[in-house]
Amino acid sequence: MTLDQGLAFGLMGVTIALFLWGRFAYDAVALGALLAGVLIGVVPTDKVFEGFADDVVVIVAAALVISHAVAKSGAVEVIMRPLVPHLQGAALQVPVLAGCTMLLAMVTKNVGALAIMMPVALQLARRTGTPAAAMLMPMSFAAMVGGVVTLVGTAPNIIMSRVRGELTGEAFRMFDYAPVGLGVCLVTLGFLAVGWRLLPGGRKGAASMEAAFQIGEYTIEARVPREGDAVGMTVAGLEALAEGQVQVSAILPAKGTGPATGELGSGVAPITAAPSADRQLEAGEGLLLRGEPEELERLVARAGLALDEDRAVPDDPETDADDQRVVEGVVTGESPLVGRTPAALTLRSRHGVSLLAVSRRGRGQIRESLSQLRLRAGDVVLLRGLAATMPDNLGELRVLPLAERGMALGRGRRSWIPLGVLAGAMVLVAFGALPVGVAFFGAVVALLALRVMTTREAYEAVDWPVVVLLAALIPVSGAIQHTGGTDLLAGWLTAVLQGLPGMVALGVTMVLAMAVTPFLNNAATVLVMGPIAATLAKQLGLSPDPFLMAVALGAASDFLTPIGHQCNTLVMGPGGYRFGDYARLGLPLSVLVVLAGVPLIAFFWPLAPG
């Protein structure tokens, strides 16, 4: 072992030890390792920032942004809506939700697919009484396995494509992983359909900080567009669209048919009775809708309604929807809003904010236009205005902002555009028209240009610690290869595996990747073990491709802990899982993946060198 090899191994050993210790953030450890590598001379100065320009980093970041846009669009919920009423009981819910998550993970990043499907599962859990714990871990495992089918489904596949390109001159393409991945998916889905019973019963999700600020039902004012699906719909039909989660408190006349008393409202008198269930809606009428913010937003999108204040602040013609912010706050006793109406205060023109919704404790429902509602101390309001001036506006109005949480109401519209953009990018990559990085970067630009999401939302969608981790570890892991460390390790493994069948060597490689990933990180595992596996194959006289596939599949199959993969971490709180719960379902699944994956890899990627 040379001095440089010893230094490279020592650097990687200390890095792994710090990862295992868990005292410092992964990205901070990776950055420290990169700096240390430069100082001790194993990372050349001209390669220090090579990782930040790598296509892998661009692809991972872009995939996260696209996944967020798909989730925000609500298109998946629309697709799932016909199925949801028929999903009664965990025996049906688990395989259907796991299967849908698996399919979605094939075309977008696995953690994004899980984030898209989790609200559907939690909604089912509330309405059918099925424990969320029975559904969420199987969905997490399904997302991880579904991600191995395509190049962009999971980070290990993306990184392994790069490793193969460096080693052989030709990277893995978009669907090179599909033959093996689809076979593993079928085995996994069959196991999860029955294996969820291995999970302990009685687990309850941890209460979130958002739940602590669960205000209750809000009342919003929406309008029936003159051309839309809601025209002619009955009140009962509209409420059925919300599956009983939203009530129509009152129907207000179309604007212009009553006395105007202010800049915001219709000026109609309070209505004392709820509309009848068979009352048909007419174009231009106003609706007072009462329910949870998420349910209200879903109904507005499904029925094609328009929030009464769904437009930019009128006194600033350059106002862009991207610059606006929705804030939830409490009206204090000193607020000028107390005892007055938004119309009388001219909130929009004087203070630059719009009143979107009101939540009020006490007797009776709100049955008058929000613009004519006399606000009280203690009312909780949703206000929208420019992000830059919102703090000053809240101060002037003496409205106390609550802990910030994601309020979709008044910020987004559902559409099929994100799915269309994603499909376009996948087609371009599949036919070789564009490289993956360029296609996904172009997809993000298209989403921003089409105003599907704001630039701020795009930045927030990126998991920056993961991006930094990848960018920093690429040159660090490369140090082991450049110093000849991979040849040394491969030689040791060759001595152990020499004389054994190639299938055994392939299985050992996959098991090693599985064993390391929970404690290292799947991206780091591929960066470190990919070159080692390829060198091992070469020294055994075998093709490197099946060994690279084995590392990618093993690194993507982290079913044993909640910390090795983001999907497992994401479901731990909502599912109420404990650390040991993952092995109960994950250990038998890991065995099945090895038993199915090794022969599938050997069949589609022959061990004999081509």
Side-chain angles (χ1 to χ4, degrees):
M1 181 184 293
T2 66
L3 176 61
D4 282 348
Q5 288 173 348
L7 290 173
F9 281 130
L11 175 62
M12 185 56 68
V14 171
T15 302
I16 293 174
L18 290 173
F19 281 153
L20 292 173
W21 189 22
R23 180 71 179 271
F24 304 104
Y26 277 175
D27 51 332
V29 171
L31 288 172
L34 178 59
L35 178 60
V38 176
L39 296 178
I40 64 178
V42 297
V43 176
T45 54
D46 61 341
K47 295 183 180 297
V48 177
F49 304 115
E50 199 174 60
F52 289 92
D54 199 285
D55 283 356
V56 171
V57 174
V58 175
I59 294 168
V60 170
L64 289 170
V65 174
I66 295 169
S67 297
H68 176 79
V70 173
K72 181 173 177 283
S73 73
V76 174
E77 289 184 25
V78 174
I79 296 172
M80 289 291 297
R81 193 189 309 156
L83 286 176
V84 170
H86 304 291
L87 298 181
Q88 301 296 325
L92 187 58
Q93 292 167 349
V94 171
V96 170
L97 291 177
C100 291
T101 306
M102 190 178 283
L103 287 172
L104 195 57
M106 295 178 190
V107 296
T108 186
K109 201 161 187 308
N110 49 22
V111 68
L114 180 61
I116 291 168
M117 292 300 300
M118 273 182 63
V120 178
L122 295 174
Q123 188 179 55
L124 269 177
R126 287 195 305 268
R127 295 180 183 179
T128 65
T130 302
M135 296 183 279
L136 294 182
M137 191 184 295
M139 290 170 62
S140 173
F141 292 174
M144 283 189 275
V145 175
V148 305
V149 175
T150 61
L151 176 65
V152 298
T154 183
N157 284 6
I158 300 170
I159 300 168
M160 188 55 77
S161 176
R162 171 188 176 275
V163 171
R164 187 191 190 228
E166 289 184 346
L167 294 174
T168 68
E170 184 179 354
F172 285 126
R173 293 167 298 180
M174 175 65 77
F175 298 110
D176 281 350
Y177 299 92
V180 174
L182 289 173
V184 174
C185 281
L186 289 176
V187 172
T188 299
L189 189 58
F191 169 74
L192 293 176
V194 295
W196 62 270
R197 294 176 174 86
L198 296 172
L199 293 169
R203 292 282 191 262
K204 293 183 178 180
S208 64
M209 182 58 70
E210 183 170 322
F213 285 90
Q214 192 65 40
I215 301 304
E217 294 183 329
Y218 278 93
T219 296
I220 65 170
E221 185 175 345
R223 290 277 158 185
V224 180
R226 299 198 175 276
E227 295 182 1
D229 296 338
V231 177
M233 186 181 294
T234 64
V235 169
L238 184 67
E239 292 179 344
L241 273 183
E243 300 175 15
Q245 302 300 306
V246 174
Q247 294 78 45
V248 179
S249 300
I251 297 178
L252 307 175
K255 289 189 177 181
T257 61
T261 60
E263 67 166 343
L264 297 178
S266 58
V268 297
I271 298 169
T272 58
S276 62
D278 58 356
R279 165 71 153 81
Q280 288 189 326
L281 305 179
E282 298 178 6
E285 287 185 325
L287 304 174
L288 292 181
L289 305 174
R290 187 167 180 258
E292 298 282 347
E294 289 184 0
E295 300 294 345
L296 290 168
E297 196 272 339
R298 286 193 188 98
L299 179 59
V300 168
R302 288 179 183 178
L305 303 176
L307 287 179
D308 202 44
E309 296 306 318
D310 201 10
R311 54 185 181 271
V313 180
D315 57 352
D316 185 357
E318 298 183 0
T319 294
D320 191 289
D322 295 4
D323 302 323
Q324 298 190 49
R325 179 182 177 192
V326 177
V327 172
E328 183 180 29
V330 179
V331 178
T332 64
E334 297 79 23
S335 172
L337 295 171
V338 175
R340 304 180 69 184
T341 67
L345 281 170
T346 57
L347 275 181
R348 291 177 62 80
S349 59
R350 183 179 301 175
H351 297 282
V353 296
S354 302
L355 178 66
L356 294 178
V358 178
S359 178
R360 170 173 291 175
R361 300 282 183 178
R363 295 177 298 174
Q365 296 186 23
I366 297 172
R367 300 192 190 279
E368 57 189 304
S369 172
L370 296 188
S371 64
Q372 303 303 311
L373 178 68
R374 293 189 179 276
L375 295 170
R376 305 172 184 170
D379 283 347
V380 181
V381 295
L382 285 185
L383 299 174
R384 180 171 58 185
L386 295 178
T389 60
M390 183 61 80
D392 291 336
N393 294 334
L394 294 177
E396 292 174 3
L397 295 172
R398 300 293 191 271
V399 172
L400 182 66
L402 296 178
E404 188 169 350
R405 56 186 178 128
M407 303 296 288
L409 186 61
R411 291 191 308 180
R413 282 290 177 268
R414 306 186 172 214
S415 74
W416 298 96
I417 294 176
L419 278 180
V421 170
L422 174 60
M426 296 283 287
V427 169
L428 289 173
V429 172
F431 285 96
L434 289 175
V436 181
V438 175
F440 274 64
F441 171 74
V444 172
V445 173
L447 291 174
L448 294 174
L450 293 170
R451 307 182 66 78
V452 172
M453 64 194 312
T454 68
T455 53
R456 180 169 54 188
E457 287 173 330
Y459 284 120
E460 290 174 351
V462 177
D463 191 343
W464 292 108
V466 172
V467 170
V468 172
L469 171 75
L470 284 175
L473 279 185
I474 284 172
V476 172
S477 62
I480 295 179
Q481 184 178 357
H482 298 322
T483 59
T486 54
D487 294 332
L488 187 64
L489 285 176
W492 294 343
L493 282 173
T494 302
V496 174
L497 299 173
Q498 193 71 47
L500 295 176
M503 293 281 285
V504 174
L506 190 64
V508 170
T509 301
M510 185 184 296
V511 170
L512 284 176
M514 277 185 172
V516 171
T517 297
F519 307 103
L520 184 55
N521 178 281
N522 56 15
T525 297
V526 173
L527 285 170
V528 174
M529 287 202 61
I532 295 172
T535 307
L536 170 64
K538 182 179 179 181
Q539 294 185 1
L540 290 174
L542 302 173
S543 171
D545 285 341
F547 285 81
L548 295 178
M549 279 282 173
V551 172
L553 180 57
S557 304
D558 176 20
F559 309 125
L560 300 178
T561 73
I563 59 174
H565 197 282
Q566 293 166 301
C567 286
N568 286 350
T569 306
L570 189 62
V571 301
M572 188 175 187
Y577 300 119
R578 298 172 187 169
F579 197 97
D581 292 341
Y582 288 82
R584 298 179 66 157
L585 187 64
L587 183 58
L589 180 56
S590 298
V591 173
L592 284 175
V593 168
V594 173
L595 293 177
V598 170
L600 282 169
I601 291 173
F603 179 79
F604 290 105
W605 297 89
L607 291 170

